[in-house]
Amino acid sequence: MSAKFHFINHACFILEKNNSAIIFDPYLDDNPEGLTAKDIKVDYIFVSHGHFDHLDSAFEIAKNCDATIISTAEICGLAQDAGCKAHAMHLGGTFKFPFGKVRLTLAFHGSGVPGGHACGIVIDFYGTKLYFAGDTALFSDMQLLPKLDAFEYAVLPIGGNFTMDPNDALIACKLLQAKYVIPVHYNTWPPIAQDVEAFKAAVEDETDSKVLIVKPGNTIDID
Ligand code: NI
Ligand code: MN
């Protein structure tokens, strides 16, 4: 059975499978479907770090849906203080949720909260296996990730300025060796404007990965 990958905008997407859903980095500003927090129905919320374009609507959605926030201990502490359900983890930690295994990964980026650290995630959501890098610089330890957990999809920031740009993300693709790469965190604002078609061409020329360009507001089926 395939999963639905619903790209909302920026680095925010929903994975839906088995009548269950998880939203990643719920940032809803300017999304083309005009979705607001009350439109989002999910069971879990992953937050990579505390910058506004990732944490944004997380607490409101968590309260509306009685959903569980999965993030670092620092973000989860804030979530619990705000009255939300949360499952705290930290970098390198793994846990088996009812849907499958989660590993929080390194991400080299600001935490957005005192004492914290940004993270990424490798998730097995009812058999759909995906790495979401969050916001990060390129780092060579990305090559370890496919040795630790199998995943077919890599969701990577390519916007530059705050994160990897397309050139660095191309190197990330070589390290990660995912079957499919989904670029995010680009074209939201002028400083992160990028030519995603050129990125796709370069990745498909130089690696065995296929790049899936999903427009904000669109949903694709993934394995
Ligand atoms: Ni950030
Ligand atoms: Mn960001």
Side-chain angles (χ1 to χ4, degrees):
M1 193 189 124
S2 63
K4 300 261 181 233
F5 179 101
H6 176 187
F7 185 38
I8 292 181
N9 202 15
H10 192 50
C12 174
F13 60 97
I14 296 176
L15 259 190
E16 201 178 325
K17 193 170 186 178
N18 273 8
N19 295 317
S20 185
I22 176 167
I23 190 167
F24 296 75
D25 284 352
Y27 174 66
L28 302 177
D29 283 17
D30 301 323
N31 74 83
E33 298 164 283
L35 297 173
T36 63
K38 65 175 174 6
D39 300 315
I40 306 293
K41 305 279 181 258
V42 293
D43 305 287
Y44 297 93
I45 301 165
F46 170 70
V47 179
S48 67
H49 65 294
H51 288 156
F52 76 96
D53 55 323
H54 298 263
L55 182 60
D56 189 47
S57 304
F59 297 169
E60 193 179 346
I61 295 168
K63 283 188 227 172
N64 289 347
C65 304
D66 198 29
T68 301
I69 293 180
I70 300 170
S71 189
T72 60
E74 289 79 10
I75 298 276
C76 286
L78 293 179
Q80 285 162 335
D81 289 347
C84 303
K85 282 201 301 201
H87 181 107
M89 298 180 67
H90 233 298
L91 308 190
T94 61
F95 186 77
K96 277 227 159 196
F97 287 88
F99 55 77
K101 182 181 171 184
V102 162
R103 175 189 295 275
L104 289 204
T105 69
L106 301 184
F108 285 88
H109 190 79
S111 68
V113 295
H117 204 299
C119 68
I121 186 171
V122 177
I123 182 169
D124 176 345
F125 195 67
Y126 296 107
T128 295
K129 300 182 177 86
L130 175 148
Y131 166 52
F132 171 46
D135 278 4
T136 188
L138 174 66
F139 56 96
S140 60
D141 282 352
M142 277 183 185
Q143 67 191 301
L144 289 175
L145 297 177
K147 295 184 169 68
L148 297 170
D149 303 284
F151 52 84
E152 289 204 294
Y153 295 86
V155 180
L156 304 178
I158 68 157
N161 194 67
F162 306 108
T163 68
M164 298 191 284
D165 67 6
N167 292 328
D168 291 4
L170 169 61
I171 296 170
C173 292
K174 292 176 184 176
L175 299 177
L176 293 164
Q177 299 180 356
K179 194 165 170 193
Y180 300 100
V181 171
I182 302 176
V184 298
H185 212 280
Y186 66 95
N187 290 358
T188 319
W189 310 294
I192 60 171
Q194 297 294 348
D195 181 346
V196 70
E197 293 290 350
F199 172 71
K200 176 179 167 74
V203 171
E204 295 185 352
D205 186 42
E206 296 188 36
T207 78
D208 293 329
S209 302
K210 189 168 166 23
V211 175
L212 306 175
I213 298 172
V214 189
K215 290 201 172 73
N218 285 7
T219 300
I220 60 169
D221 286 323
I222 67 174
D223 289 333

